[in-house]
């Protein structure tokens, strides 16, 4: 009876662990938009970047040739995608094709590569609007010193024209930027973290609901479930082989 009760408990623990883990792994972690209005102007440097929350649309009217900067918070385990659009004046005011580029930097101001999306796009003089996209690698809680992995904290967006006909410099444009994210899941979970990387000399960048703690992850559940299944296998093996291999009793001589 004791062996059967122990076997039943191990089965229930293993099933509970396997059921709970995917639920946490699929949980979305995108910060909710801030109650304050999204910025309608952009900064001109990292230090003056206009701050917006994920899910908000930041806008700015600018001149062709300006460097436009925004900043937003991103936490560990998020896969962030940044979208930008540029709307141009009437075609008769333009003199040729311009090329626009969207760059994203982490809190250490390291330019992050895009895993997919078009972050550089030419704009012919008859194009009214262009769209730019950059999907980042999964934001890390901590990383090796030699690595360029994006660290949780502030992320900076820079939008500018990298190639412009001289006659088009200074022409007005309208721009917008948004950032969204999805949870990477248990495969990218880590335990432990560094303090969110936010420069003291830059804008105050933080999620409206605060930075997430990273001491806990779904890996704990998978580890517990693996331990329960291992115990189950050991108990089952013992129950199946119990009594085998012992010396048979020799009946007493008559």
């Amino acid at each position: 009876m004791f062996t059967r009760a122990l076997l039943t408990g191990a089965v229930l623990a293993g099933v509970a662990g396997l059921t709970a883990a995917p639920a946490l792994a699929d949980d979305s972690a995108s910060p909710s938009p801030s109650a304050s209005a999204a910025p309608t102007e952009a900064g001109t440097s990292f230090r003056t970047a206009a701050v917006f929350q994920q899910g908000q649309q930041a806008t700015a009217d600018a001149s062709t040739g300006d460097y436009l900067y925004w900043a937003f918070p991103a936490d560990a385990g998020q896969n962030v995608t940044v979208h930008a659009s540029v709307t141009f004046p009437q075609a008769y005011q333009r003199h040729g094709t311009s090329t626009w580029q969207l760059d994203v930097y982490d809190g250490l101001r390291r330019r992050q590569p895009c895993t997919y999306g078009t972050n550089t796009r030419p704009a012919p003089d008859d194009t009214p609007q262009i769209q730019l996209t950059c999907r980042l690698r999964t934001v890390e809680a901590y990383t090796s010193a030699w690595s360029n992995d994006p660290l949780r904290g502030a992320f900076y967006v820079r939008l500018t024209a990298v190639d412009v006909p001289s006659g088009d410099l200074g022409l007005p444009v309208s721009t917008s930027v948004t950032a969204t994210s999805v949870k990477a899941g248990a495969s990218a979970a880590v335990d432990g973290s560094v303090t969110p990387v936010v420069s003291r000399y830059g804008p105050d960048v933080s999620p409206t609901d605060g930075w997430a703690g990273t001491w806990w992850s779904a890996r704990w559940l998978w580890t517990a479930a693996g331990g329960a299944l291992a115990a189950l296998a050991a108990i089952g093996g013992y129950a199946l082989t119990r009594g085998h291999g012992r010396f048979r009793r020799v009946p007493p001589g008559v």
Side-chain angles (χ1 to χ4, degrees), residues 105-133:
Y105 302 80
D106 69 358
L108 297 177
R109 301 184 185 179
R110 302 176 301 178
R111 184 175 180 272
Q112 295 298 315
C114 303
T115 58
Y116 74 80
T118 303
N119 70 315
T120 302
R121 189 183 294 275
D125 56 7
D126 60 348
T127 300
Q129 187 183 70
I130 60 170
Q131 303 286 338
L132 303 169
T133 304

PDB file of all heavy atoms in Angstrom, residues 105-133:
ATOM      1  N   TYR A 105      19.405  50.564 -30.497  1.00  0.00           N
ATOM      2  CA  TYR A 105      20.548  50.385 -29.598  1.00  0.00           C
ATOM      3  C   TYR A 105      20.037  49.949 -28.231  1.00  0.00           C
ATOM      4  O   TYR A 105      18.943  50.347 -27.801  1.00  0.00           O
ATOM      5  CB  TYR A 105      21.327  51.694 -29.435  1.00  0.00           C
ATOM      6  CG  TYR A 105      21.857  52.276 -30.717  1.00  0.00           C
ATOM      7  CD1 TYR A 105      21.035  53.004 -31.569  1.00  0.00           C
ATOM      8  CD2 TYR A 105      23.195  52.125 -31.080  1.00  0.00           C
ATOM      9  CE1 TYR A 105      21.527  53.555 -32.747  1.00  0.00           C
ATOM     10  CE2 TYR A 105      23.693  52.670 -32.260  1.00  0.00           C
ATOM     11  CZ  TYR A 105      22.850  53.383 -33.083  1.00  0.00           C
ATOM     12  OH  TYR A 105      23.334  53.920 -34.255  1.00  0.00           O
ATOM     13  N   ASP A 106      20.848  49.141 -27.512  1.00  0.00           N
ATOM     14  CA  ASP A 106      20.471  48.812 -26.138  1.00  0.00           C
ATOM     15  C   ASP A 106      20.972  49.896 -25.195  1.00  0.00           C
ATOM     16  O   ASP A 106      21.484  50.935 -25.627  1.00  0.00           O
ATOM     17  CB  ASP A 106      20.975  47.427 -25.740  1.00  0.00           C
ATOM     18  CG  ASP A 106      22.493  47.354 -25.597  1.00  0.00           C
ATOM     19  OD1 ASP A 106      23.183  48.360 -25.840  1.00  0.00           O
ATOM     20  OD2 ASP A 106      23.001  46.268 -25.237  1.00  0.00           O
ATOM     21  N   GLY A 107      20.806  49.660 -23.878  1.00  0.00           N
ATOM     22  CA  GLY A 107      21.159  50.691 -22.906  1.00  0.00           C
ATOM     23  C   GLY A 107      22.625  51.047 -22.877  1.00  0.00           C
ATOM     24  O   GLY A 107      23.000  52.123 -22.397  1.00  0.00           O
ATOM     25  N   LEU A 108      23.492  50.154 -23.380  1.00  0.00           N
ATOM     26  CA  LEU A 108      24.923  50.448 -23.477  1.00  0.00           C
ATOM     27  C   LEU A 108      25.272  51.134 -24.795  1.00  0.00           C
ATOM     28  O   LEU A 108      26.445  51.297 -25.110  1.00  0.00           O
ATOM     29  CB  LEU A 108      25.732  49.148 -23.333  1.00  0.00           C
ATOM     30  CG  LEU A 108      25.604  48.427 -21.988  1.00  0.00           C
ATOM     31  CD1 LEU A 108      26.401  47.123 -22.009  1.00  0.00           C
ATOM     32  CD2 LEU A 108      26.077  49.322 -20.848  1.00  0.00           C
ATOM     33  N   ARG A 109      24.228  51.502 -25.540  1.00  0.00           N
ATOM     34  CA  ARG A 109      24.368  52.184 -26.836  1.00  0.00           C
ATOM     35  C   ARG A 109      25.107  51.327 -27.856  1.00  0.00           C
ATOM     36  O   ARG A 109      25.850  51.828 -28.690  1.00  0.00           O
ATOM     37  CB  ARG A 109      25.047  53.549 -26.672  1.00  0.00           C
ATOM     38  CG  ARG A 109      24.290  54.481 -25.729  1.00  0.00           C
ATOM     39  CD  ARG A 109      24.920  55.851 -25.647  1.00  0.00           C
ATOM     40  NE  ARG A 109      24.253  56.672 -24.653  1.00  0.00           N
ATOM     41  CZ  ARG A 109      24.599  57.918 -24.354  1.00  0.00           C
ATOM     42  NH1 ARG A 109      25.630  58.472 -24.984  1.00  0.00           N
ATOM     43  NH2 ARG A 109      23.948  58.606 -23.436  1.00  0.00           N
ATOM     44  N   ARG A 110      24.873  50.040 -27.785  1.00  0.00           N
ATOM     45  CA  ARG A 110      25.418  49.116 -28.771  1.00  0.00           C
ATOM     46  C   ARG A 110      24.348  48.863 -29.827  1.00  0.00           C
ATOM     47  O   ARG A 110      23.225  48.457 -29.499  1.00  0.00           O
ATOM     48  CB  ARG A 110      25.841  47.798 -28.113  1.00  0.00           C
ATOM     49  CG  ARG A 110      26.878  47.955 -27.012  1.00  0.00           C
ATOM     50  CD  ARG A 110      27.178  46.626 -26.350  1.00  0.00           C
ATOM     51  NE  ARG A 110      25.975  46.036 -25.760  1.00  0.00           N
ATOM     52  CZ  ARG A 110      25.946  44.867 -25.156  1.00  0.00           C
ATOM     53  NH1 ARG A 110      27.053  44.144 -25.079  1.00  0.00           N
ATOM     54  NH2 ARG A 110      24.823  44.396 -24.644  1.00  0.00           N
ATOM     55  N   ARG A 111      24.684  49.115 -31.061  1.00  0.00           N
ATOM     56  CA  ARG A 111      23.720  48.919 -32.140  1.00  0.00           C
ATOM     57  C   ARG A 111      23.397  47.437 -32.258  1.00  0.00           C
ATOM     58  O   ARG A 111      24.275  46.589 -32.327  1.00  0.00           O
ATOM     59  CB  ARG A 111      24.272  49.435 -33.463  1.00  0.00           C
ATOM     60  CG  ARG A 111      23.290  49.344 -34.626  1.00  0.00           C
ATOM     61  CD  ARG A 111      23.877  49.979 -35.879  1.00  0.00           C
ATOM     62  NE  ARG A 111      22.963  49.890 -36.988  1.00  0.00           N
ATOM     63  CZ  ARG A 111      22.877  48.872 -37.836  1.00  0.00           C
ATOM     64  NH1 ARG A 111      23.698  47.831 -37.672  1.00  0.00           N
ATOM     65  NH2 ARG A 111      22.018  48.875 -38.829  1.00  0.00           N
ATOM     66  N   GLN A 112      22.105  47.129 -32.272  1.00  0.00           N
ATOM     67  CA  GLN A 112      21.656  45.743 -32.297  1.00  0.00           C
ATOM     68  C   GLN A 112      21.262  45.331 -33.718  1.00  0.00           C
ATOM     69  O   GLN A 112      20.557  46.070 -34.412  1.00  0.00           O
ATOM     70  CB  GLN A 112      20.463  45.556 -31.363  1.00  0.00           C
ATOM     71  CG  GLN A 112      20.790  45.775 -29.903  1.00  0.00           C
ATOM     72  CD  GLN A 112      21.822  44.785 -29.394  1.00  0.00           C
ATOM     73  OE1 GLN A 112      21.736  43.590 -29.675  1.00  0.00           O
ATOM     74  NE2 GLN A 112      22.786  45.279 -28.637  1.00  0.00           N
ATOM     75  N   PRO A 113      21.722  44.162 -34.160  1.00  0.00           N
ATOM     76  CA  PRO A 113      21.330  43.695 -35.498  1.00  0.00           C
ATOM     77  C   PRO A 113      19.866  43.285 -35.518  1.00  0.00           C
ATOM     78  O   PRO A 113      19.294  42.910 -34.492  1.00  0.00           O
ATOM     79  CB  PRO A 113      22.257  42.504 -35.729  1.00  0.00           C
ATOM     80  CG  PRO A 113      22.572  42.005 -34.358  1.00  0.00           C
ATOM     81  CD  PRO A 113      22.629  43.219 -33.477  1.00  0.00           C
ATOM     82  N   CYS A 114      19.265  43.343 -36.680  1.00  0.00           N
ATOM     83  CA  CYS A 114      17.875  42.935 -36.862  1.00  0.00           C
ATOM     84  C   CYS A 114      17.844  41.487 -37.321  1.00  0.00           C
ATOM     85  O   CYS A 114      18.541  41.109 -38.265  1.00  0.00           O
ATOM     86  CB  CYS A 114      17.185  43.819 -37.901  1.00  0.00           C
ATOM     87  SG  CYS A 114      17.223  45.589 -37.513  1.00  0.00           S
ATOM     88  N   THR A 115      17.046  40.652 -36.646  1.00  0.00           N
ATOM     89  CA  THR A 115      16.924  39.258 -37.057  1.00  0.00           C
ATOM     90  C   THR A 115      16.070  39.133 -38.312  1.00  0.00           C
ATOM     91  O   THR A 115      16.263  38.214 -39.102  1.00  0.00           O
ATOM     92  CB  THR A 115      16.325  38.410 -35.936  1.00  0.00           C
ATOM     93  OG1 THR A 115      15.037  38.946 -35.570  1.00  0.00           O
ATOM     94  CG2 THR A 115      17.235  38.439 -34.701  1.00  0.00           C
ATOM     95  N   TYR A 116      15.108  40.019 -38.476  1.00  0.00           N
ATOM     96  CA  TYR A 116      14.412  40.122 -39.749  1.00  0.00           C
ATOM     97  C   TYR A 116      13.754  41.487 -39.820  1.00  0.00           C
ATOM     98  O   TYR A 116      13.690  42.231 -38.849  1.00  0.00           O
ATOM     99  CB  TYR A 116      13.388  38.987 -39.953  1.00  0.00           C
ATOM    100  CG  TYR A 116      12.121  39.097 -39.132  1.00  0.00           C
ATOM    101  CD1 TYR A 116      11.080  39.943 -39.525  1.00  0.00           C
ATOM    102  CD2 TYR A 116      11.934  38.356 -37.980  1.00  0.00           C
ATOM    103  CE1 TYR A 116       9.913  40.047 -38.785  1.00  0.00           C
ATOM    104  CE2 TYR A 116      10.774  38.446 -37.243  1.00  0.00           C
ATOM    105  CZ  TYR A 116       9.766  39.289 -37.653  1.00  0.00           C
ATOM    106  OH  TYR A 116       8.610  39.390 -36.921  1.00  0.00           O
ATOM    107  N   GLY A 117      13.253  41.825 -41.006  1.00  0.00           N
ATOM    108  CA  GLY A 117      12.676  43.135 -41.227  1.00  0.00           C
ATOM    109  C   GLY A 117      13.606  43.982 -42.077  1.00  0.00           C
ATOM    110  O   GLY A 117      14.804  43.709 -42.171  1.00  0.00           O
ATOM    111  N   THR A 118      13.055  45.008 -42.681  1.00  0.00           N
ATOM    112  CA  THR A 118      13.821  45.930 -43.520  1.00  0.00           C
ATOM    113  C   THR A 118      14.033  47.219 -42.751  1.00  0.00           C
ATOM    114  O   THR A 118      13.088  47.981 -42.551  1.00  0.00           O
ATOM    115  CB  THR A 118      13.085  46.213 -44.843  1.00  0.00           C
ATOM    116  OG1 THR A 118      12.834  44.980 -45.515  1.00  0.00           O
ATOM    117  CG2 THR A 118      13.907  47.127 -45.736  1.00  0.00           C
ATOM    118  N   ASN A 119      15.252  47.441 -42.288  1.00  0.00           N
ATOM    119  CA  ASN A 119      15.511  48.657 -41.510  1.00  0.00           C
ATOM    120  C   ASN A 119      16.173  49.751 -42.343  1.00  0.00           C
ATOM    121  O   ASN A 119      16.398  50.854 -41.849  1.00  0.00           O
ATOM    122  CB  ASN A 119      16.372  48.345 -40.292  1.00  0.00           C
ATOM    123  CG  ASN A 119      17.788  47.980 -40.654  1.00  0.00           C
ATOM    124  OD1 ASN A 119      18.021  47.192 -41.580  1.00  0.00           O
ATOM    125  ND2 ASN A 119      18.756  48.541 -39.940  1.00  0.00           N
ATOM    126  N   THR A 120      16.493  49.472 -43.602  1.00  0.00           N
ATOM    127  CA  THR A 120      17.000  50.491 -44.531  1.00  0.00           C
ATOM    128  C   THR A 120      16.203  50.388 -45.821  1.00  0.00           C
ATOM    129  O   THR A 120      16.106  49.301 -46.401  1.00  0.00           O
ATOM    130  CB  THR A 120      18.493  50.288 -44.820  1.00  0.00           C
ATOM    131  OG1 THR A 120      19.230  50.338 -43.595  1.00  0.00           O
ATOM    132  CG2 THR A 120      19.020  51.369 -45.755  1.00  0.00           C
ATOM    133  N   ARG A 121      15.635  51.510 -46.259  1.00  0.00           N
ATOM    134  CA  ARG A 121      14.769  51.461 -47.442  1.00  0.00           C
ATOM    135  C   ARG A 121      14.906  52.748 -48.253  1.00  0.00           C
ATOM    136  O   ARG A 121      14.881  53.850 -47.694  1.00  0.00           O
ATOM    137  CB  ARG A 121      13.314  51.273 -47.017  1.00  0.00           C
ATOM    138  CG  ARG A 121      12.357  51.003 -48.178  1.00  0.00           C
ATOM    139  CD  ARG A 121      10.926  50.904 -47.678  1.00  0.00           C
ATOM    140  NE  ARG A 121      10.711  49.749 -46.830  1.00  0.00           N
ATOM    141  CZ  ARG A 121      10.431  48.527 -47.283  1.00  0.00           C
ATOM    142  NH1 ARG A 121      10.355  48.304 -48.590  1.00  0.00           N
ATOM    143  NH2 ARG A 121      10.231  47.536 -46.437  1.00  0.00           N
ATOM    144  N   PRO A 122      15.025  52.616 -49.586  1.00  0.00           N
ATOM    145  CA  PRO A 122      15.039  53.798 -50.437  1.00  0.00           C
ATOM    146  C   PRO A 122      13.622  54.346 -50.630  1.00  0.00           C
ATOM    147  O   PRO A 122      12.646  53.587 -50.620  1.00  0.00           O
ATOM    148  CB  PRO A 122      15.618  53.279 -51.761  1.00  0.00           C
ATOM    149  CG  PRO A 122      15.249  51.830 -51.780  1.00  0.00           C
ATOM    150  CD  PRO A 122      15.264  51.369 -50.351  1.00  0.00           C
ATOM    151  N   ALA A 123      13.523  55.649 -50.806  1.00  0.00           N
ATOM    152  CA  ALA A 123      12.236  56.302 -51.013  1.00  0.00           C
ATOM    153  C   ALA A 123      12.311  57.140 -52.290  1.00  0.00           C
ATOM    154  O   ALA A 123      12.838  58.266 -52.266  1.00  0.00           O
ATOM    155  CB  ALA A 123      11.883  57.182 -49.819  1.00  0.00           C
ATOM    156  N   PRO A 124      11.834  56.609 -53.413  1.00  0.00           N
ATOM    157  CA  PRO A 124      11.808  57.403 -54.646  1.00  0.00           C
ATOM    158  C   PRO A 124      10.982  58.674 -54.463  1.00  0.00           C
ATOM    159  O   PRO A 124      10.138  58.763 -53.559  1.00  0.00           O
ATOM    160  CB  PRO A 124      11.161  56.445 -55.663  1.00  0.00           C
ATOM    161  CG  PRO A 124      11.410  55.073 -55.106  1.00  0.00           C
ATOM    162  CD  PRO A 124      11.360  55.232 -53.614  1.00  0.00           C
ATOM    163  N   ASP A 125      11.222  59.645 -55.338  1.00  0.00           N
ATOM    164  CA  ASP A 125      10.581  60.953 -55.141  1.00  0.00           C
ATOM    165  C   ASP A 125       9.068  60.930 -55.343  1.00  0.00           C
ATOM    166  O   ASP A 125       8.390  61.908 -55.016  1.00  0.00           O
ATOM    167  CB  ASP A 125      11.217  62.002 -56.058  1.00  0.00           C
ATOM    168  CG  ASP A 125      11.156  61.597 -57.524  1.00  0.00           C
ATOM    169  OD1 ASP A 125      10.519  60.576 -57.838  1.00  0.00           O
ATOM    170  OD2 ASP A 125      11.764  62.299 -58.366  1.00  0.00           O
ATOM    171  N   ASP A 126       8.512  59.819 -55.862  1.00  0.00           N
ATOM    172  CA  ASP A 126       7.060  59.723 -56.025  1.00  0.00           C
ATOM    173  C   ASP A 126       6.410  58.836 -54.969  1.00  0.00           C
ATOM    174  O   ASP A 126       5.223  58.520 -55.050  1.00  0.00           O
ATOM    175  CB  ASP A 126       6.716  59.211 -57.415  1.00  0.00           C
ATOM    176  CG  ASP A 126       7.314  57.825 -57.687  1.00  0.00           C
ATOM    177  OD1 ASP A 126       8.175  57.394 -56.889  1.00  0.00           O
ATOM    178  OD2 ASP A 126       6.924  57.199 -58.686  1.00  0.00           O
ATOM    179  N   THR A 127       7.183  58.420 -53.962  1.00  0.00           N
ATOM    180  CA  THR A 127       6.654  57.564 -52.893  1.00  0.00           C
ATOM    181  C   THR A 127       6.130  58.423 -51.750  1.00  0.00           C
ATOM    182  O   THR A 127       6.892  59.212 -51.172  1.00  0.00           O
ATOM    183  CB  THR A 127       7.747  56.624 -52.357  1.00  0.00           C
ATOM    184  OG1 THR A 127       8.225  55.801 -53.427  1.00  0.00           O
ATOM    185  CG2 THR A 127       7.203  55.744 -51.249  1.00  0.00           C
ATOM    186  N   PRO A 128       4.856  58.299 -51.384  1.00  0.00           N
ATOM    187  CA  PRO A 128       4.317  59.144 -50.312  1.00  0.00           C
ATOM    188  C   PRO A 128       4.733  58.707 -48.917  1.00  0.00           C
ATOM    189  O   PRO A 128       4.780  59.521 -47.993  1.00  0.00           O
ATOM    190  CB  PRO A 128       2.804  59.029 -50.490  1.00  0.00           C
ATOM    191  CG  PRO A 128       2.610  57.686 -51.124  1.00  0.00           C
ATOM    192  CD  PRO A 128       3.793  57.477 -52.016  1.00  0.00           C
ATOM    193  N   GLN A 129       5.032  57.406 -48.736  1.00  0.00           N
ATOM    194  CA  GLN A 129       5.346  56.902 -47.394  1.00  0.00           C
ATOM    195  C   GLN A 129       6.166  55.622 -47.500  1.00  0.00           C
ATOM    196  O   GLN A 129       5.994  54.837 -48.440  1.00  0.00           O
ATOM    197  CB  GLN A 129       4.068  56.634 -46.601  1.00  0.00           C
ATOM    198  CG  GLN A 129       4.293  56.263 -45.149  1.00  0.00           C
ATOM    199  CD  GLN A 129       3.002  55.941 -44.419  1.00  0.00           C
ATOM    200  OE1 GLN A 129       2.364  54.924 -44.676  1.00  0.00           O
ATOM    201  NE2 GLN A 129       2.609  56.835 -43.510  1.00  0.00           N
ATOM    202  N   ILE A 130       7.055  55.393 -46.537  1.00  0.00           N
ATOM    203  CA  ILE A 130       7.793  54.136 -46.438  1.00  0.00           C
ATOM    204  C   ILE A 130       7.653  53.574 -45.025  1.00  0.00           C
ATOM    205  O   ILE A 130       7.418  54.316 -44.074  1.00  0.00           O
ATOM    206  CB  ILE A 130       9.294  54.307 -46.791  1.00  0.00           C
ATOM    207  CG1 ILE A 130       9.960  55.304 -45.831  1.00  0.00           C
ATOM    208  CG2 ILE A 130       9.478  54.695 -48.245  1.00  0.00           C
ATOM    209  CD1 ILE A 130      11.478  55.335 -45.971  1.00  0.00           C
ATOM    210  N   GLN A 131       7.794  52.244 -44.934  1.00  0.00           N
ATOM    211  CA  GLN A 131       7.718  51.552 -43.655  1.00  0.00           C
ATOM    212  C   GLN A 131       9.043  50.849 -43.388  1.00  0.00           C
ATOM    213  O   GLN A 131       9.605  50.216 -44.289  1.00  0.00           O
ATOM    214  CB  GLN A 131       6.585  50.520 -43.671  1.00  0.00           C
ATOM    215  CG  GLN A 131       5.212  51.090 -43.986  1.00  0.00           C
ATOM    216  CD  GLN A 131       4.632  51.868 -42.827  1.00  0.00           C
ATOM    217  OE1 GLN A 131       5.024  51.669 -41.673  1.00  0.00           O
ATOM    218  NE2 GLN A 131       3.680  52.749 -43.117  1.00  0.00           N
ATOM    219  N   LEU A 132       9.527  50.941 -42.150  1.00  0.00           N
ATOM    220  CA  LEU A 132      10.766  50.283 -41.737  1.00  0.00           C
ATOM    221  C   LEU A 132      10.470  49.388 -40.537  1.00  0.00           C
ATOM    222  O   LEU A 132       9.656  49.753 -39.674  1.00  0.00           O
ATOM    223  CB  LEU A 132      11.827  51.324 -41.371  1.00  0.00           C
ATOM    224  CG  LEU A 132      12.191  52.341 -42.455  1.00  0.00           C
ATOM    225  CD1 LEU A 132      13.036  53.461 -41.866  1.00  0.00           C
ATOM    226  CD2 LEU A 132      12.940  51.669 -43.587  1.00  0.00           C
ATOM    227  N   THR A 133      11.156  48.235 -40.463  1.00  0.00           N
ATOM    228  CA  THR A 133      10.916  47.272 -39.388  1.00  0.00           C
ATOM    229  C   THR A 133      12.235  46.659 -38.940  1.00  0.00           C
ATOM    230  O   THR A 133      13.103  46.373 -39.772  1.00  0.00           O
ATOM    231  CB  THR A 133       9.966  46.155 -39.839  1.00  0.00           C
ATOM    232  OG1 THR A 133       8.753  46.720 -40.319  1.00  0.00           O
ATOM    233  CG2 THR A 133       9.657  45.204 -38.688  1.00  0.00           C
TER     234      THR A 133
END
